[in-house]
Amino acid sequence: MTAPMIHILNGPNLNLLGHREPEIYGTETLGDIAEACQALGAELGLDVLCRQTNHEGAMVEMIHEARERAQGIIINPAAYTHTSVAILDALQAFAGPVIEVHLSNIHKREAFRHHSYISRRADAVIAGCGGQGYLLALRRMAVLLG
Ligand code: CA2
């Protein structure tokens, strides 16, 4: 049987991870996180594809592609979390499990970060665990798809 495919989608500025603001977002780069996710995915019997974009429309298109190719989505929409009905609508059209991840605890931060459009669709939300949040999300995905 082929391994379920998980798309891990990352939004704007997350390509800067590890290079700026380590006190908020940690010292791991997005490449480090992707590598750790690939390794855990192999252990869990999941295929993992990690992607990042700085553009809202491109994120919508990545979600459309996931409809064709992935059984689950792990998404950190970054700032679009708090603004994007378009990304919510795209996720509503995805049939499989969706897990929302934030590196920081958005509820401990500015009030404008407390609301997430994405949480309305997410089956689970992980915030404040740094890069480990993606690994926790993968473990949950293995249970949901098992
Ligand atoms: O905590 C998270 O993962 C966030 O999704 C990160 C977003 C922020 O807008 C959300 O409220 C919470 C920001 C990502 C920006 O990442 C940077 C990384 C290094 C340096 C500068 C920005």
Side-chain angles (χ1 to χ4, degrees):
M1 215 173 64
T2 54
M5 169 63 84
I6 309 304
H7 285 191
I8 301 183
L9 306 180
N10 290 285
N13 298 307
L14 287 166
N15 54 313
L16 300 178
L17 268 187
H19 303 292
R20 302 271 307 274
E21 302 195 64
E23 64 290 350
I24 304 177
Y25 298 116
T27 53
E28 269 184 303
T29 67
L30 198 56
D32 295 334
I33 290 172
E35 221 174 277
C37 287
Q38 301 284 356
L40 181 62
E43 261 178 53
L44 296 172
L46 299 171
D47 267 347
V48 173
L49 175 72
C50 293
R51 308 182 78 182
Q52 188 271 334
T53 177
N54 291 320
H55 303 277
E56 185 176 18
M59 178 64 87
V60 167
E61 280 168 4
M62 284 181 185
I63 295 165
H64 292 174
E65 285 170 30
R67 291 182 70 217
E68 311 293 322
R69 297 183 197 143
Q71 279 65 57
I73 292 177
I74 294 171
I75 186 166
N76 183 348
Y80 293 140
T81 305
H82 318 297
T83 62
S84 183
V85 177
I87 291 174
L88 170 63
D89 286 348
L91 287 169
Q92 301 279 24
F94 180 78
V98 173
I99 303 183
E100 178 182 350
V101 171
H102 299 285
L103 295 152
S104 63
N105 179 359
I106 54 176
H107 301 289
K108 204 176 172 187
R109 300 183 63 191
E110 303 95 323
F112 67 83
R113 296 187 203 273
H114 296 177
H115 176 261
S116 164
Y117 281 97
I118 304 321
S119 294
R120 196 172 172 85
R121 167 64 183 88
D123 297 291
V125 181
I126 297 168
C129 299
Q132 192 190 6
Y134 292 86
L135 302 176
L136 297 170
L138 271 176
R139 288 191 184 280
R140 179 65 183 158
M141 208 40 105
V143 170
L144 293 174
L145 294 172

